[in-house]
Amino acid sequence: MQRIGVFVCHCGTNIAATVDVARVVEAAAKEPGVVHAEDYQYMCSEAGQLKIREAIKEKNLTGIVVCSCSPRMHENTFRQAAERAGINPYMVEIANIREHCSWIHKDIEEATEKAVILARAAIAKVTLNAPLQSGTSRVVKRALVIGGGIAGIQTALDIADAGYEVDIVEKTPSIGGRMSQLDKTFPTLDCSACILTPKMVEAAAHEKITIYTYSEVEKVSGFVGDFQVDIRKKARSVDMSKCTGCGVCQEKCPSKKTPNEFNRGLNTRSAIYTPFAQAIPNVPVIDRENCIKFKTGKCGVCSKVCQAGAIDYEQKDEIVTQNYGAIVVATGFDTIKLDKFDEYSYSTSPDVITSLELERIMNAAGPTKGHLERMSDHKPPKSMVFIQCVGSRCADKRGKSYCSKICCMYTAKHAMLIRDKYPGVEVTVFYIDVRTPGKNFDEFYRRAVEEYGVNYIKGQVGKVAEKGDKLLVQGVDLIDNKRILMETDMVVLATAIEPNPDVRKIATMLTASIDTNNFLTESHAKLRPVESPTAGIFLSGVCQGPKDIPETVAQAGAAAVKVVGLLAKDHLVTNPCVAKSDELLCNGCSSCEKVCPYGAISYEEREVNDHGIRETRRVANVNSALCQGCGACTVACPSGAMDLQGFSNRQILAEVDAICK
Amino acid sequence: MQERLVERAKELLTDGTVVRVLGWKQGDLGYNPEPAYFNSPEELADFVYDGFCGANLSKYMIQAGKMEGNTLVFLKPCDTYSFNQLIKEHRVNREKTYIIGVGCKGTLDIDKIKNAGIKGIESISQDGDMLKIQTIYGEKEFPFDDALLERCTVCKGKTHQVYDELIGAQEGEEAGPKGNRFEMVEKLEAMTPKERFAFWQNELSKCIRCNACRNACPACSCLKCVFDSNKFDSAQKANVDTFEEQMFHVIRAFHVAGRCTDCGECSRVCPQGIPLHLLNRKFIKDINEFYGPYQAGEDTDSRAPLTDYTFEDVEPSVVTERGGKH
Ligand SMILES: Cc1cc2nc3c(=O)[nH]c(=O)nc-3n(C[C@H](O)[C@H](O)[C@H](O)COP(=O)(O)OP(=O)(O)OC[C@H]3O[C@@H](n4cnc5c(N)ncnc54)[C@H](O)[C@@H]3O)c2cc1C
Ligand code: SF4
Ligand code: SF4
Ligand code: SF4
Ligand code: SF4
Ligand code: SF4
């Protein structure tokens, strides 16, 4: 017979203001098996824990129920307290009467009744609890970083500097991410390449870092401390070990009509290409869809001109399988598509561009060699209009409800740089608000207005129309309360950013959660901002939310510290709440194996003794080191053979019964 | 046809290919043949194959697979889906089974004949499109098609999914004109929750818990059904009130969801005439709509939509968009 103690916490007024704790104690005391019930102001405090320990000793308790906050907060605290008093930590159950009750109810009657029911359910469950022993699992001393933008590079460098092996998997032919496309960077206006390239080189040279470019994560299994990952290295068609990076192949390639992704399609590139001059690795790839050799079988020019003999048309994709203790997601962002924003004439006029396209135009290695010119006639503009919040803070479904956070600053940057280099160009910015919190940020914006004479107009633009070789901008000035109609030569759209669309696939593979906007969610918005709710998965950079480079780098370092903290452990304590199949009930039907996300279930032919009948049966076998206790198998099993220790079918049904009593 | 089956069964018994035959033998009435084992050529004298051989023999192969030696089993086209599904679930032994796929013109529902007022039936034989019925009041006629079981009016097809040889059937044979098997499900979907509840309450309260549906169902092949197990108290739970059976039937429907081949045995064997197959068809319809057409038992290795995950799977939010009902 179990001897159960119930401890009801006030949580200051968090619980006690809405739940009549005395009544919960009274009701719990009447439940079968309960030999002790009391309440206290803060159960989690030293004094509260002492009460639990004393009661366990004095009343010889075999199990306890704490009616308090979510088990995510203090289950561990109370398990440890129980263990110190000599009972198995898994003989503790939490009734969540805060998040599930006091915080969501106003009426004391209702809340108290519900708290009593929740307590009763936990008592019913703990009555059926059995002591469980946890084991240990290994920690593979190697981390994986998905995405080789500034976030991924910085995280990898920090982990590697702490002495651990890191692999970076980057989808495109080079690491660098968006930052490599930028010209100058706020708030200090240093050249993006000048500060990024050294980091890229450092990562490539680091003995602890392996970079897989032109590669993608294909499959992930395992769990914190021991993930197994398949990486697909797409065929580059160029032998990395032979290529010297001379670039003659790209010069001679006759197929030169492919839109250049790196320059946002503003010019074209050859079928064999490196995205940009400082690319790492400096080894081109053949874009097989646009290569004449792959399309028609003829050509082969690159192979002929390559002195190093590095071209290999036969190369195949390669799968690398590797184990990792931790995984960092750093998949970054893209600007949104503008197909739903016809009013800005983006798709019809080449002189309406996005801010990222402007970065390329201003860049010395860009499509115009850094000369500011219109894409339609290559003439220098005499005036320019910037429109902020295109698709950001958007009330309707065409855009995003959130603020992209970086656009106010980079628009001020663009305006200032243009006024500095081309003082004759008139620059107007339409804005809803200018949001520039951050160290030296507001000063930066004010410089654009005060020193560089940028014309800021508070108001939105309703339409951009083509008028001859000019653009006609119709907007409103909310401060002077008047309509504005102005002619200009170029329009730049500060386009909203969104997570890389691929991230859904990555999140699914990692069982990491994403929010409605596809940003990866952190485990706790305030206290665990770089951890995903899935153990062993960490977040770095814009994939978690809009941010600029300084913030990205800071977060990248934070994620690295968390990874290092994990990798430094010798082993992890495993959860003993694992599944187990009852051999006498198991049909060997394979339903469970199909749903197990961790591949923990296998089958064996086992001789069983079913009430005197000896026969060899195919039965399920759970590898308790692999099982994560998710419970998926227990619901897939028709006969109820599969059961989760600590959450058995019987325990769950007992809870339901107690609730429905 | 019956003669050809018997002849071939004798050959296979005699040449040692199999040591027993699983088929149907004449029952005590003229229209209730029952599944039976035949262990020698002589025993095959009682073998019968006619429109009343509705019983799906697949499930018997679970037991037969555990016996010494090979078994010959006769499977109608729709029975082969069940057999395949059992292979998938590792419940039958394909190696120890010799399958003769038998041709099928549809199986018959004696209640349809009786409900037409034909009484005192002694025997029934087929003559072209008509059934000749000998009764104690003389010979009567009844159109064959009007006597078909509901499941056969919406036949899945005449193609055997798994077999060693075919008799009276051909590879790739087409089924006759088919009705819409989801017609009644659609009607139920169109009802208000209240009406639907009343419909099922009325139907399920007829249940006498004889367990015939579960025992005949090839998907209900558990060594120990949860309703018989003392591990969960679910047997008692299913019995708590007069509307007890809803628990039994709803749980059973969930257990067979994605595995039910729509063989129709549950409804066929129910002595109370409860249209149990409608529960399973609702699942089938939903699965088809949410995950694309899927037929359990069509193959032995694909992953069923409910135990698989693909990136194309519906998200809860789009279930209603795609026409899902609450
Ligand atoms: C127009 C513009 C101007 C800007 N100007 C400034 C500025 O002046 N100053 C400033 O501080 N910030 C600026 N920013 C913001 C800056 O670009 C970002 O803060 C920074 O690039 C974020 O880095 P990241 O690594 O998180 O993402 P990214 O740079 O997007 O890197 C993500 C990387 O992951 C890779 N990847 C994506 N999916 C996968 C996958 N499935 N598998 C493998 N790899 C994958 C991508 O190819 C990419 O290389 C600007 C942004 C824009 C749009
Ligand atoms: S509970 Fe079952 S499905 Fe989940 S990990 Fe364990 S064995 Fe796999
Ligand atoms: S689902 Fe259940 S019956 Fe089937 S193999 Fe797994 S444990 Fe056994
Ligand atoms: S539930 Fe009915 S239709 Fe489905 S497989 Fe079982 S007996 Fe056949
Ligand atoms: S009802 Fe469920 S447990 Fe019972 S036999 Fe059918 S599938 Fe198995
Ligand atoms: S066969 Fe009919 S009466 Fe018998 S248990 Fe099934 S539903 Fe109930």
Side-chain angles (χ1 to χ4, degrees):
Chain A
M1 187 60 199
Q2 299 267 36
R3 295 173 58 82
I4 294 158
V6 180
F7 303 87
V8 185
C9 181
H10 297 209
C11 194
T13 53
N14 270 307
I15 293 171
T18 333
V19 168
D20 183 344
V21 283
R23 257 164 68 201
V24 179
V25 170
E26 203 182 303
K30 292 192 192 121
E31 288 296 307
V34 175
V35 295
H36 176 87
E38 67 175 308
D39 60 285
Y40 185 65
Q41 222 165 6
Y42 291 106
M43 263 320 155
C44 60
S45 66
E46 245 329 292
Q49 292 183 50
L50 189 67
K51 279 180 175 297
I52 295 176
R53 299 208 306 268
E54 279 169 1
I56 292 175
K57 294 221 173 89
E58 278 164 24
K59 305 264 172 83
N60 257 330
L61 300 182
T62 57
I64 64 166
V65 168
V66 187
C67 304
S68 58
C69 49
S70 159
R72 278 191 80 101
M73 302 295 300
H74 280 307
E75 185 173 59
N76 227 355
T77 314
F78 298 126
R79 279 185 175 163
Q80 279 169 8
E83 199 169 19
R84 279 175 68 189
I87 65 173
N88 184 283
Y90 292 89
M91 297 305 291
V92 175
E93 287 298 329
I94 308 287
N96 181 355
I97 61 165
R98 195 177 75 174
E99 285 85 340
H100 283 184
C101 189
S102 68
W103 277 0
I104 50 170
H105 291 289
K106 289 203 177 77
D107 185 81
I108 296 188
E109 265 318 298
E110 266 178 14
T112 306
E113 190 190 344
K114 181 165 168 187
V116 169
I117 291 172
L118 292 172
R120 229 196 267 140
I123 295 165
K125 183 172 182 227
V126 83
T127 312
L128 297 172
N129 276 20
L132 298 172
Q133 300 305 335
S134 31
T136 58
S137 66
R138 69 167 182 161
V139 180
V140 178
K141 309 272 176 195
R142 189 182 194 102
L144 170 67
V145 175
I146 307 175
I150 181 62
I153 295 172
Q154 187 63 48
T155 302
L157 281 172
D158 290 347
I159 298 171
D161 281 345
Y164 296 100
E165 301 279 344
V166 197
D167 295 353
I168 301 178
V169 171
E170 165 59 47
K171 181 169 68 166
T172 68
S174 169
I175 56 170
R178 295 279 162 240
M179 194 177 162
S180 61
Q181 291 174 294
L182 306 181
D183 184 42
K184 304 256 181 332
T185 51
F186 67 74
T188 44
L189 295 182
D190 28 14
C191 128
S192 193
C194 310
I195 55 175
L196 174 64
T197 315
K199 291 230 178 253
M200 290 166 61
V201 172
E202 192 188 341
H206 205 297
E207 55 164 1
K208 298 271 180 198
I209 300 181
T210 308
I211 301 175
Y212 296 101
T213 50
Y214 210 47
S215 300
E216 276 176 61
V217 170
E218 182 140 305
K219 200 174 137 217
V220 180
S221 56
F223 48 89
V224 54
D226 199 355
F227 293 103
Q228 195 178 61
V229 180
D230 284 0
I231 300 164
R232 176 177 292 273
K233 286 173 72 183
K234 288 176 281 183
R236 266 189 126 88
S237 315
V238 177
D239 187 335
M240 299 253 280
S241 62
K242 291 186 188 155
C243 172
T244 58
C246 70
V248 64
C249 51
Q250 308 182 47
E251 244 168 68
K252 295 282 155 44
C253 172
S255 166
K256 288 215 159 53
K257 296 253 162 63
T258 308
N260 184 337
E261 301 88 351
F262 189 76
N263 285 334
R264 305 298 285 183
L266 294 175
N267 64 355
T268 58
R269 60 159 171 82
S270 45
I272 183 165
Y273 73 105
T274 29
F276 54 103
Q278 303 91 328
I280 285 188
N282 184 21
V283 175
V285 299
I286 297 184
D287 161 7
R288 294 188 171 184
E289 263 163 46
N290 291 298
C291 165
I292 303 172
K293 172 86 178 164
F294 280 97
K295 284 200 296 195
T296 67
K298 298 199 192 79
C299 187
V301 168
C302 49
S303 168
K304 277 175 219 134
V305 298
C306 177
Q307 295 289 320
I311 308 291
D312 178 1
Y313 301 117
E314 307 296 317
Q315 216 178 58
K316 294 216 164 47
D317 287 8
E318 206 184 303
I319 304 284
V320 181
T321 304
Q322 185 63 261
N323 287 60
Y324 299 98
I327 300 179
V328 182
V329 190
T331 48
F333 71 102
D334 203 343
T335 51
I336 63 164
K337 290 211 173 59
L338 289 173
D339 49 353
K340 293 194 188 102
F341 292 89
D342 282 343
E343 67 265 37
Y344 299 123
S345 298
Y346 174 75
S347 58
T348 45
S349 170
D351 297 330
V352 180
I353 59 173
T354 68
S355 37
L356 197 50
E357 287 164 17
L358 181 66
E359 293 280 351
R360 295 313 305 144
I361 291 175
M362 310 257 287
N363 191 277
T368 59
K369 309 248 173 329
H371 300 297
L372 180 64
E373 57 188 51
R374 291 158 38 109
M375 296 316 286
S376 59
D377 51 14
H378 301 288
K379 285 194 192 131
K382 292 200 188 63
S383 76
M384 290 177 79
V385 167
F386 287 80
I387 305 174
Q388 292 200 178
C389 291
V390 173
S392 297
R393 308 167 70 193
C394 191
D396 58 45
K397 275 202 162 169
R398 299 187 305 161
K400 305 290 173 187
S401 58
Y402 52 84
C403 164
S404 294
K405 199 171 178 182
I406 52 176
C407 324
C408 287
M409 279 299 282
Y410 71 57
T411 300
K413 168 184 81 173
H414 290 156
M416 204 182 315
L417 288 171
I418 287 168
R419 294 282 299 160
D420 185 49
K421 211 165 155 196
Y422 309 96
V425 180
E426 258 181 60
V427 176
T428 307
V429 177
F430 282 90
Y431 68 96
I432 309 181
D433 303 294
V434 174
R435 299 180 162 181
T436 49
K439 194 169 160 186
N440 296 330
F441 279 19
D442 206 54
E443 294 87 329
F444 182 86
Y445 152 64
R446 283 210 315 271
R447 241 164 71 212
V449 181
E450 290 159 13
E451 280 176 41
Y452 289 90
V454 178
N455 179 23
Y456 267 77
I457 298 178
K458 184 174 174 75
Q460 276 173 296
V461 170
K463 195 171 168 64
V464 176
E466 287 171 89
K467 187 181 170 209
D469 63 354
K470 293 263 179 196
L471 294 162
L472 194 63
V473 177
Q474 302 170 17
V476 281
D477 182 334
L478 288 176
I479 291 176
D480 288 347
N481 201 12
K482 63 173 191 225
R483 295 184 51 163
I484 291 184
L485 204 60
M486 62 194 294
E487 273 185 11
T488 188
D489 293 326
M490 269 176 104
V491 169
V492 183
L493 308 175
T495 312
I497 60 172
E498 64 178 354
N500 220 303
D502 278 21
V503 78
R504 286 185 77 86
K505 224 165 129 182
I506 300 276
T508 307
M509 276 193 263
L510 299 173
T511 62
S513 26
I514 45 180
D515 65 20
T516 48
N517 292 313
N518 284 353
F519 286 112
L520 284 147
T521 13
E522 55 283 348
S523 184
H524 190 288
K526 284 154 274 181
L527 302 179
R528 291 162 67 85
V530 295
E531 293 100 319
S532 125
T534 305
I537 310 291
F538 302 90
L539 315 174
S540 176
V542 178
C543 65
Q544 178 263 338
K547 49 181 77 69
D548 55 26
I549 298 165
E551 263 190 280
T552 298
V553 171
Q555 195 194 26
V561 169
K562 296 291 171 184
V563 169
V564 168
L566 170 61
L567 298 190
K569 296 202 164 92
D570 291 331
H571 58 257
L572 298 171
V573 175
T574 57
N575 170 12
C577 298
V578 292
K580 207 170 169 213
S581 166
D582 180 336
E583 62 178 15
L584 294 186
L585 296 181
C586 177
N587 302 319
C589 70
S590 281
S591 300
C592 51
E593 181 256 315
K594 293 205 173 81
V595 298
C596 177
Y598 300 96
I601 302 172
S602 57
Y603 293 88
E604 62 187 29
E605 298 287 333
R606 199 187 297 157
E607 178 160 329
V608 299
N609 183 346
D610 191 351
H611 304 92
I613 304 164
R614 277 184 185 281
E615 58 180 4
T616 305
R617 286 186 192 162
R618 179 179 202 269
V619 289
N621 193 18
V622 177
N623 179 336
S624 58
L626 294 180
C627 172
Q628 295 299 294
C630 72
C633 55
T634 65
V635 279
C637 175
S639 66
M642 199 55 102
D643 221 350
L644 195 59
Q645 301 185 62
F647 295 88
S648 68
N649 291 328
R650 228 205 175 107
Q651 287 174 299
I652 308 273
L653 287 174
E655 286 185 280
V656 174
D657 280 348
I659 289 168
C660 300
K661 200 153 77 178
Chain B
M1 172 98 124
Q2 180 174 319
E3 292 73 51
R4 283 168 65 200
L5 301 183
V6 171
E7 201 180 305
R8 185 66 185 128
K10 281 185 181 159
E11 278 171 29
L12 290 167
L13 274 174
T14 321
D15 71 14
T17 309
V18 298
V19 298
R20 76 184 67 76
V21 176
L22 178 55
W24 305 267
K25 80 169 191 215
Q26 200 56 262
D28 47 359
L29 300 167
Y31 45 78
N32 66 345
E34 55 198 42
Y37 287 115
F38 305 88
N39 295 304
S40 65
E42 296 71 45
E43 286 178 25
L44 281 163
D46 293 336
F47 181 94
V48 60
Y49 181 61
D50 62 21
F52 291 103
C53 292
N56 176 348
L57 301 178
S58 306
K59 191 177 180 180
Y60 293 83
M61 288 310 299
I62 299 176
Q63 263 330 106
K66 292 181 182 160
M67 300 181 198
E68 256 338 285
N70 295 350
T71 307
L72 163 63
V73 64
F74 293 101
L75 297 179
K76 301 186 293 296
C78 59
D79 303 341
T80 57
Y81 289 89
S82 309
F83 191 82
N84 255 357
Q85 184 63 26
L86 288 166
I87 295 181
K88 198 177 201 170
E89 292 170 14
H90 305 273
R91 308 291 286 125
V92 291
N93 189 337
R94 177 71 182 95
E95 273 81 61
K96 288 172 74 183
T97 315
Y98 191 92
I99 301 171
I100 294 186
V102 292
C104 175
K105 295 197 172 57
T107 51
L108 303 172
D109 185 352
I110 189 65
D111 289 333
K112 282 192 175 172
I113 298 171
K114 286 182 179 167
N115 291 343
I118 300 177
K119 299 210 169 65
I121 301 171
E122 289 178 319
S123 72
I124 302 178
S125 61
Q126 197 185 339
D127 183 7
D129 291 344
M130 297 305 279
L131 292 171
K132 292 239 177 305
I133 307 169
Q134 304 301 328
T135 74
I136 49 176
Y137 312 106
E139 191 182 282
K140 298 259 164 71
E141 286 206 329
F142 195 82
F144 183 88
D145 282 353
D146 292 354
L148 284 177
L149 279 163
E150 190 276 349
R151 68 173 185 201
C152 300
T153 65
V154 295
C155 177
K156 292 197 260 302
K158 302 287 188 206
T159 308
H160 291 82
Q161 305 299 309
V162 53
Y163 59 85
D164 292 298
E165 67 180 271
L166 294 174
I167 295 182
Q170 279 149 29
E171 181 97 42
E173 207 168 319
E174 295 275 316
K178 276 191 276 184
N180 167 16
R181 66 173 166 149
F182 297 121
E183 198 176 304
M184 189 57 200
V185 176
E186 280 158 14
K187 278 191 194 143
L188 286 168
E189 284 173 347
M191 289 180 183
T192 62
K194 239 185 171 157
E195 289 166 343
R196 197 155 50 231
F197 190 79
F199 173 89
W200 281 113
Q201 179 149 38
N202 174 44
E203 290 294 349
L204 297 181
S205 56
K206 297 179 202 159
C207 173
I208 53 174
R209 273 309 291 281
C210 66
N211 283 339
C213 50
R214 184 188 76 185
N215 294 352
C217 172
C220 270
S221 65
C222 295
L223 288 162
K224 191 146 192 97
C225 173
V226 285
F227 293 103
D228 300 339
S229 164
N230 49 18
K231 210 173 154 187
F232 316 103
D233 323 320
S234 44
Q236 295 89 302
K237 281 206 173 62
N239 282 329
V240 285
D241 63 42
T242 46
F243 195 26
E244 57 179 53
E245 297 78 12
Q246 62 176 331
M247 288 321 287
F248 171 66
H249 291 292
V250 170
I251 292 174
R252 206 184 77 81
F254 269 98
H255 282 195
V256 303
R259 302 158 54 224
C260 165
T261 64
D262 201 7
C263 74
E265 284 291 89
C266 46
S267 295
R268 184 185 70 86
V269 298
C270 177
Q272 299 294 88
I274 304 173
L276 293 161
H277 63 281
L278 292 176
L279 285 173
N280 311 314
R281 275 199 196 152
K282 167 64 178 156
F283 277 106
I284 294 173
K285 182 167 179 282
D286 282 352
I287 290 171
N288 288 348
E289 284 168 5
F290 298 156
Y291 306 102
Y294 177 76
Q295 168 64 54
E298 208 161 51
D299 60 68
T300 56
D301 47 17
S302 73
R303 296 187 64 143
L306 291 184
T307 52
D308 195 13
Y309 177 82
T310 71
F311 290 112
E312 288 74 42
D313 276 2
V314 278
E315 308 267 344
S317 60
V318 304
V319 167
T320 38
E321 271 169 39
R322 289 204 199 166
K325 302 264 167 9
H326 298 287

